[in-house]
Amino acid sequence: DAGVTQSPTHLIKTRGQQVTLRCSPKSGHDTVSWYQQALGQGPQFIFQYYEEEERQRGNFPDRFSGHQFPNYSSELNVNALLLGDSALYLCASSLIQGEGETQYFGPGTRLLVL
Amino acid sequence: GNSVTQMEGPVTLSEEAFLTINCTYTATGYPSLFWYVQYPGEGLQLLLKATKADDKGSNKGFEATYRKETTSFHLEKGSVQVSDSAVYFCALSYSGYSTLTFGKGTMLLVSP
């Protein structure tokens, strides 16, 4: 049973550039959430996708956008990168109304903005 | 708003010592409570969870009891191992809205 996978594992960008991160959910899961984890901090919720729509959104600017595909995989896009966007980006998948909607996390993509 | 507060680390223990990591929460209603663990350079792994008051979650020797009266979900283990060294995160969510609110994490360092 494949778990949550993310790509790439590491990424280096410069300020002002754009980045796309990818996530494939755990088999059978239909909901994908994205989190940002700054160094030494707990993850912060960015947004959640279900049925290809943004279902919930945290306190992040519009520079952060996403997409969910019919196969439930998802992308996170960040435009106009800032130094403060350097973080570990975690994807989590869950099943609506299943297992108490427990979220399972991928290994993350570590983004460094120079 | 909802929030989770964890004891600050690092917590430094010798192998086979007893572990307690405190976690308290502020929330309305009846959230589900979770402990996640993050090993160096990795993502988060679900350690245990409890979905209602007085429930006890347990896994790999770790336990935590959902205490509604004290709004707490303290993590305990009777005898830690070097391999338990990691960062532990307490978190909450609400049924129907599976997004998680995390604490800042507590680093555990276990020496032989």
Side-chain angles (χ1 to χ4, degrees):
Chain A
D1 180 20
V4 180
T5 60
Q6 293 186 242
S7 64
T9 55
H10 295 82
L11 206 51
I12 300 175
K13 293 286 188 179
T14 57
R15 279 179 298 174
Q17 284 190 311
Q18 179 263 346
V19 68
T20 297
L21 311 181
R22 296 176 176 82
C23 171
S24 291
K26 189 174 186 289
S27 178
H29 283 184
D30 55 11
T31 303
V32 173
S33 303
W34 287 92
Y35 293 80
Q36 180 194 66
Q37 185 180 16
L39 197 62
Q41 300 296 314
Q44 298 291 315
F45 172 68
I46 303 174
F47 43 55
Q48 183 182 81
Y49 277 84
Y50 171 66
E51 291 189 339
E52 302 179 50
E53 297 287 333
E54 185 180 286
R55 183 170 177 243
Q56 295 181 74
R57 189 178 183 92
N59 189 25
F60 277 79
D62 292 345
R63 298 187 297 110
F64 290 76
S65 63
H67 188 78
Q68 186 180 34
F69 299 94
N71 67 353
Y72 306 120
S73 66
S74 177
E75 289 182 349
L76 163 66
N77 300 291
V78 186
N79 294 322
L81 284 167
L82 304 174
L83 296 180
D85 295 332
S86 295
L88 179 67
Y89 288 85
L90 295 164
C91 170
S93 73
S94 56
L95 180 63
I96 287 288
Q97 298 181 347
E99 293 186 85
E101 299 185 34
T102 299
Q103 297 202 343
Y104 294 85
F105 284 80
T109 293
R110 192 164 296 280
L111 172 65
L112 177 60
V113 182
L114 301 176
Chain B
N2 303 325
S3 65
V4 175
T5 302
Q6 295 181 231
M7 62 188 290
E8 292 205 14
V11 173
T12 304
L13 295 173
S14 298
E15 206 165 24
E16 299 183 5
F18 184 85
L19 168 71
T20 299
I21 299 178
N22 291 336
C23 170
T24 57
Y25 67 90
T26 301
T28 56
Y30 301 92
S32 295
L33 300 174
F34 303 82
W35 278 100
Y36 282 85
V37 58
Q38 187 173 37
Y39 297 100
E42 298 185 9
L44 276 69
Q45 297 178 24
L46 177 65
L47 183 59
L48 54 83
K49 67 178 182 180
T51 57
K52 60 183 187 293
D54 299 325
D55 267 3
K56 177 185 284 188
S58 61
N59 186 28
K60 300 180 181 179
F62 291 90
E63 294 183 337
T65 301
Y66 189 164
R67 301 288 188 198
K68 180 72 174 172
E69 63 276 13
T70 55
T71 62
S72 65
F73 193 55
H74 304 322
L75 182 68
E76 296 182 337
K77 187 177 185 184
S79 176
V80 294
Q81 305 300 312
V82 172
S83 58
D84 293 327
S85 298
V87 180
Y88 292 80
F89 291 93
C90 185
L92 65 82
S93 73
Y94 286 92
S95 176
Y97 297 91
S98 58
T99 59
L100 291 157
T101 299
F102 285 92
K104 291 187 175 181
T106 302
M107 179 178 287
L108 170 65
L109 299 172
V110 181
S111 56

